[in-house]
Amino acid sequence: MNYKIALIRGDGIGPEIVDEAVGVINRVGEKFGHTFIYVDVLLGGCATDAVGKSYPDGTAEICKSCDAVLLGAVGGPKWGSDKPAEQRPETALLAIRKDLGLYANLRPAALRPALAEACPLKKETAEKGIDLMMVRELTGGVYFGKRDRYETPDRGVECTDLMAYSEMEIERIGRRAFEMARLRRNKVSSVDKANVLETSRLWRSVMHRLAKEYPDVAYEDVLVDNCAMQLVRDPGQFDVVVTENMFGDILSDEASMITGSIGLLPSASMGDTAPALYEPIHGSAPDIAGQDKANPIATILSVAMMFRYSFHLAQEADAVERAVDKALADGWRTADIAKPGESIVGTRQMGQIIRDNI
Ligand code: NAD
């Protein structure tokens, strides 16, 4: 089969980690007999430097002509908040998510066996294993609601941020979660604040309706404050966790912390139609850019997600994940995951080791 992939290398360590990921994709192509075609897409600070805008005209159309999008990372101090919006890399990220209709953000948080000691939780908790998938609603809720700021006669300035959700928005993210659970361990935990928020009460009623359509999937409601607590007490209880935008923003960072390094975790953002977008959860790490120090594993595991969810190549996805686990089990470490005294490999060598393991 032929697959067309849009590559957004971006800024900082983006080009270095995407190069290693492309090497892995090509190795899978050789081994399993697929052809991968790449289309380079300019986006982020590098696009501002080249054409004066972080999101050049036509970017969405180029991405839509591809089967999937792989993004390294964008941003850096050079294009900070003093710059006009169209020159800031974050503007480009929000724009591409919106233009591609990416309403579901999937972040697996899995403790890789060889790195169990990097888990900051109690040893007996880590030993039970952590392997959960956060499914976060990405285009609704309070981050996208109407905002207001006004003077009051007696209380100074007052602000409001509106949290709004429709049944349609809740149902489509809910379906994603139930479908995802069927590919995993058949359990959905839906996180809300239904004891306080009206949006959460609607969220819960839609989820209950969906749960009846998926009788093979175990379902539970979890209040967001309890979920935050359970993630550090007993994260092994979770399989798929689905929640609205702001709760998901916070809980997915918490979930990533309990698995060790930021350099290890991939993500996918999806809509109803292709292409989906795959990217590491970390940023452009300007402090280590261009020094062959970045950990390419999060980007390489994003490639595994791309194989599994966009191309339905489960065997190929497994091969990439096994290659990463073998590299770690054999003791190879980039600086971010090395313990004092352990020898360290650079970005390129880690990429090569993983390719050789496939
Ligand atoms: P960051 O994730 O870039 O870096 C945080 C720390 O983690 C740094 O010390 C960095 O060196 C380290 N780190 C990150 N990725 C690593 C990797 N693969 N290997 C080894 N170490 C790694 O977060 P930040 O410093 O807050 O942000 C830097 C820039 O990235 C900002 O401009 C921010 O806006 C941008 N950003 C972009 C995205 C994205 O492109 N999706 C996401 C988050 C932040």
Side-chain angles (χ1 to χ4, degrees):
M1 280 283 287
N2 288 351
Y3 301 93
K4 196 166 156 192
I5 303 171
L7 289 182
I8 302 176
R9 289 188 158 81
D11 310 313
I13 59 171
E16 299 166 66
I17 53 182
V18 169
D19 277 352
E20 297 316 312
V22 167
V24 166
I25 298 173
N26 290 337
R27 173 78 191 108
V28 167
E30 270 167 38
K31 171 118 185 176
F32 291 87
H34 306 299
T35 305
F36 297 102
I37 300 157
Y38 304 103
V39 179
D40 274 302
V41 178
L42 196 61
L43 184 138
C46 55
T48 298
D49 287 351
V51 300
K53 289 179 184 174
S54 63
Y55 190 59
D57 300 342
T59 301
E61 287 64 36
I62 301 173
C63 292
K64 282 180 188 169
S65 75
C66 296
D67 300 309
V69 182
L70 180 66
L71 170 83
V74 300
K78 189 175 166 196
W79 311 279
S81 49
D82 54 323
K83 294 279 184 294
E86 76 271 13
Q87 294 182 13
R88 291 202 299 267
E90 301 75 38
T91 307
L93 271 186
L94 289 179
I96 194 166
R97 285 176 186 152
K98 181 166 171 285
D99 287 349
L100 297 182
L102 307 175
Y103 62 81
N105 182 239
L106 274 58
R107 272 199 195 187
L111 189 61
R112 311 226 73 89
L115 287 178
E117 79 277 7
C119 175
L121 304 181
K122 280 192 196 136
K123 193 159 173 275
E124 54 277 22
T125 308
E127 273 166 5
K128 283 200 229 159
I130 303 170
D131 181 9
L132 63 92
M133 177 73 81
M134 277 275 170
V135 178
R136 166 188 170 194
E137 202 290 325
L138 202 59
T139 55
V142 71
Y143 290 0
F144 287 85
K146 234 167 96 188
R147 331 186 176 291
D148 208 356
R149 172 183 280 258
Y150 46 87
E151 290 284 345
T152 63
D154 50 354
R155 300 184 308 279
V157 174
E158 196 169 279
C159 295
T160 60
D161 295 281
L162 183 75
M163 182 189 269
Y165 268 109
S166 66
E167 282 181 286
M168 179 276 284
E169 287 172 301
I170 300 168
E171 182 170 336
R172 65 184 185 179
I173 190 78
R175 279 196 193 285
R176 284 267 166 200
F178 281 98
E179 296 292 338
M180 179 59 58
R182 280 186 169 165
L183 298 174
R184 294 174 48 94
R185 301 193 306 278
N186 286 301
K187 182 177 175 194
V188 168
S189 307
S190 168
V191 176
D192 63 36
K193 189 70 183 167
N195 51 348
V196 179
L197 300 175
E198 198 55 35
T199 42
S200 281
R201 283 190 275 273
L202 179 65
W203 179 279
R204 197 174 270 207
S205 69
V206 173
M207 290 293 167
H208 284 191
R209 194 170 77 220
L210 285 177
K212 290 198 188 106
E213 284 183 41
Y214 295 84
D216 51 319
V217 178
Y219 175 85
E220 64 176 355
D221 300 306
V222 186
L223 288 173
V224 62
D225 37 348
N226 184 27
C227 184
M229 203 163 66
Q230 295 301 330
L231 276 173
V232 291
R233 198 187 67 84
D234 180 20
Q237 68 184 287
F238 293 118
D239 177 18
V240 173
V241 178
V242 61
T243 190
E244 66 88 39
N245 201 345
M246 182 171 63
F247 296 162
D249 189 7
I250 299 164
L251 293 176
S252 59
D253 269 21
E254 187 187 357
S256 63
M257 262 315 293
I258 59 177
T259 59
S261 165
I262 193 169
L264 294 174
L265 294 175
S267 78
S269 300
M270 298 175 171
D272 286 328
T273 51
L277 183 146
Y278 298 86
E279 59 180 322
I281 69 157
H282 59 71
S284 58
D287 52 329
I288 55 168
Q291 299 171 35
D292 193 36
K293 282 185 181 164
N295 188 343
I297 290 180
T299 318
I300 290 170
L301 291 174
S302 301
V303 164
M305 289 187 87
M306 177 190 290
F307 287 153
R308 181 165 284 122
Y309 299 123
S310 280
F311 304 159
H312 307 291
L313 298 175
Q315 239 190 322
E316 289 78 347
D318 288 345
V320 172
E321 286 166 357
R322 271 200 312 271
V324 167
D325 280 333
K326 179 166 178 359
L328 295 173
D330 290 345
W332 300 107
R333 300 283 186 267
T334 43
D336 56 313
I337 51 174
K339 284 192 295 197
E342 275 184 331
S343 65
I344 287 170
V345 295
T347 311
R348 288 193 292 269
Q349 197 182 343
M350 184 57 106
Q352 187 60 50
I353 291 162
I354 293 168
R355 285 194 289 280
D356 292 345
N357 285 345
I358 294 175

